[in-house]
Amino acid sequence: MGSDSRGHPISSESDEAVAAVNSAIQHLVGRRAAFTPSINEAKTYDPECVMAQVLSGLMACGLRKEGGLAAAREAYAIASAQRPRVTPRERLYIDVLEASIARDAVRVVQGLEAVLDTHPTDLLASVMVQGELFWTGEMQRSEAISARCDAHWSSDVDGHADWLALRAFDLEEIGQLDAAERCGRQCVEQDPDNLWGAHAVAHVLEMRGDSAGGIRWLDQLKQGWDAGGPMKFHLWWHRALCHIEEGEHDAALDIHDQWLRNAQQPIQQALPDFYLDVQNGASNLVRLELQGVDPGERWHALGDAVEPSWDDLSNPFTTLHVAMVLAATEQWDRFGELLRAVILYARSEQSVLSDAYRDAPSVIRAIGAHRAGDYQQVVDQAADLRQAFWRFGGSHAQRDVLFQILFDAARRCKDDALMQHIGADLERIGFVDPLQRVAYRPVA
Ligand SMILES: [Fe+2]
């Protein structure tokens, strides 16, 4: 029996497996690409190590694709067979994996909260619970959980910089921008290569509308991102938002080509339809188009990327971005099929996930109508759902693209009242002076 670097037991006879599990946790928390090799190493040293299998299974579920679940079930079968031989905390993790395979976010969160009740510095559980609640749009609850654990953290606990990054993002999403910025900057002072800390501060600057500050912030840190996984591309997406705000459209297009959708990037080669990359790419192009920029052939590369999984209904926010891709590439038959599949899924299933899809059909119709130039239809479909966008998951900055599409339609329909209402909505969400932003100016 060994332990992670915060003293949480890892049941295994193999010291090498324990060390590899600990490395895998650190890489996962740090959003680094080395997570996958570390976990494979741990399973090689000890195939029956529960935490190695749990991490492997959770990683497969974390792809947020139906296709990832087979590997997750395999990991669960091995881990659950070891249940009598491991600690109560590890048994909770086995339950979390089971719930994750069942895509039951409620049980996943309950299990991770139970881990944190007795092990408040279990950084893996904190990161997993934040990720889960992020995709169900429940960041208030995420912040409440991290607030409870916070008293147990200090600079003496290994991973303190990662903890500060986690707290910073929770605080940012609930609108406590000053506290979030303090935490995020403190994290990056301790660990300049910390992707999640850089990300939290980028969100703060985005909410404040400080695009010049966002570019400076990300520019000074970018040399530390080489070891990053897909999160590094998301940081470049944040930078592209700043350039769009500054009117530097060519810079946003260059970022798109180099970082957001580039077949030469090994990570994107291995997983061309990874959900975050699909979201980043589609969101960037829609925002550029709303500024009058012609993205040329770029939509087609995204069309190719979503080819293997365009009809996968594992994540509502991704599905909305897939709808943007299908509409932009004029795959209207598929667009219609996707819409029908979402309607059927939301009606026929009774689950946390299908519930999250409940309002997706109207927003998908609005996305299609916007592409087809039927702006009144966009307003009719999506205007009344503004308060429900959070249910699709994602951050305020990410969901902003939905408000931008709706605002553009309202402007073209000369619906001044709706434009004002959207501005008020965005202000309540936490955006500072939203109507001063390029996407929300009353005259395009
Ligand atoms: Fe982000």
Side-chain angles (χ1 to χ4, degrees):
M1 169 90 69
S3 65
D4 72 12
S5 52
R6 282 163 293 279
H8 304 113
I10 297 169
S11 298
S12 174
E13 298 299 312
S14 160
D15 292 345
E16 291 88 350
V18 170
V21 166
N22 188 45
S23 295
I25 292 170
Q26 286 175 328
H27 292 315
L28 181 148
V29 166
R31 271 79 180 171
R32 292 187 289 271
F35 172 71
T36 306
S38 294
I39 206 62
N40 289 337
E41 203 184 319
K43 289 194 294 182
T44 305
Y45 283 123
D46 180 1
E48 294 184 339
C49 172
V50 160
M51 286 312 289
Q53 292 296 344
V54 163
L55 278 167
S56 179
L58 290 176
M59 177 183 72
C61 292
L63 295 174
R64 298 187 184 275
K65 287 267 157 36
E66 190 78 43
L69 296 182
R73 285 189 193 100
E74 215 172 287
Y76 173 74
I78 300 170
S80 61
Q82 301 300 316
R83 190 185 285 270
R85 288 198 278 277
V86 297
T87 60
R89 174 179 144 281
E90 290 169 300
R91 285 201 284 274
L92 282 171
Y93 270 112
I94 297 171
D95 296 342
V96 167
L97 176 57
E98 185 187 28
S100 199
I101 292 166
R103 303 205 278 197
D104 185 341
V106 172
R107 273 206 298 138
V108 170
V109 172
Q110 282 170 349
L112 292 166
E113 271 198 284
V115 171
L116 290 166
D117 282 343
T118 47
H119 302 82
T121 59
D122 189 335
L123 194 51
L124 172 64
S126 289
V127 166
M128 298 302 300
V129 84
Q130 184 180 61
E132 201 63 33
L133 291 168
F134 178 77
W135 288 117
T136 55
E138 296 172 278
M139 291 306 285
Q140 296 280 350
R141 185 170 174 192
S142 181
E143 193 280 330
I145 294 171
S146 68
R148 284 203 298 273
C149 298
D150 196 44
H152 299 269
W153 277 90
S154 71
S155 53
D156 296 336
V157 183
D158 187 67
H160 186 237
D162 293 306
W163 175 252
L164 290 170
L166 184 143
R167 272 298 282 161
F169 189 55
D170 275 347
L171 289 165
E172 180 276 324
E173 284 294 299
I174 66 156
Q176 293 196 25
L177 300 184
D178 292 344
E181 184 168 14
R182 272 195 305 276
C183 267
R185 288 188 186 271
Q186 202 186 334
C187 157
V188 172
E189 271 166 33
Q190 287 184 23
D191 175 13
D193 299 346
N194 195 295
L195 279 85
W196 201 237
H199 178 247
V201 175
H203 269 271
V204 170
L205 298 172
E206 173 67 21
M207 297 308 281
R208 290 210 182 107
D210 184 1
S211 42
I215 293 168
R216 279 196 305 277
W217 170 251
L218 293 168
D219 194 61
Q220 71 188 14
L221 298 174
K222 65 181 190 291
Q223 66 278 6
W225 302 343
D226 286 351
M231 184 48 59
K232 69 182 170 193
F233 304 134
H234 183 67
L235 283 167
W236 281 104
W237 173 79
H238 273 277
R239 182 162 171 173
L241 300 194
C242 298
H243 285 298
I244 293 171
E245 193 59 36
E246 293 288 299
E248 297 164 1
H249 302 147
D250 286 345
L253 288 170
D254 286 346
I255 287 172
H256 189 93
D257 296 339
Q258 200 182 340
W259 301 104
L260 307 190
R261 182 52 52 186
N262 179 356
Q264 306 304 312
Q265 292 285 355
I267 295 174
Q268 291 176 22
Q269 270 173 10
L271 279 174
D273 60 343
F274 186 65
Y275 69 91
L276 186 57
D277 293 321
V278 171
Q279 294 171 7
N280 293 336
S283 181
N284 189 45
L285 293 187
V286 165
R287 289 166 197 247
L288 280 161
E289 285 181 327
L290 290 170
Q291 296 308 307
V293 177
D294 177 1
E297 292 301 301
R298 290 177 178 87
W299 277 114
H300 291 285
L302 281 170
D304 293 343
V306 303
E307 181 71 32
S309 57
W310 62 272
D311 55 352
D312 189 294
L313 302 184
S314 301
N315 180 285
F317 199 60
T318 306
T319 299
L320 299 182
H321 287 80
V322 169
M324 292 173 202
V325 174
L326 295 179
T329 51
E330 297 180 339
Q331 298 185 64
W332 291 110
D333 288 347
R334 278 189 178 175
F335 186 92
E337 268 184 66
L338 180 66
L339 178 58
R340 283 189 293 278
V342 170
I343 292 168
L344 189 69
Y345 181 58
R347 275 188 197 153
S348 60
E349 286 255 344
Q350 285 244 314
S351 68
V352 179
L353 185 60
S354 64
D355 206 34
Y357 270 97
R358 195 185 59 204
D359 295 322
S362 294
V363 178
I364 292 171
R365 283 191 202 99
I367 287 165
H370 189 269
R371 179 63 57 183
D374 185 351
Y375 302 111
Q376 188 57 52
Q377 174 76 348
V378 178
V379 171
D380 292 347
Q381 290 291 337
D384 291 343
L385 288 175
R386 304 191 311 274
Q387 317 297 346
F389 286 166
W390 65 269
R391 290 168 55 87
F392 301 128
S395 64
H396 299 308
Q398 287 175 302
R399 285 191 297 270
D400 187 37
V401 73
L402 303 178
F403 287 96
Q404 289 193 19
I405 290 169
L406 181 59
F407 190 90
D408 184 62
R411 182 168 44 206
R412 289 169 188 270
C413 294
K414 304 197 185 324
D415 190 337
D416 292 342
L418 179 56
M419 287 156 66
Q420 290 300 321
H421 292 165
I422 292 171
D425 290 341
L426 292 169
E427 215 161 328
R428 205 173 313 107
I429 285 168
F431 288 94
V432 177
D433 285 337
L435 294 180
Q436 296 301 313
R437 297 179 185 219
V438 291
Y440 298 107
R441 293 194 181 144
V443 180

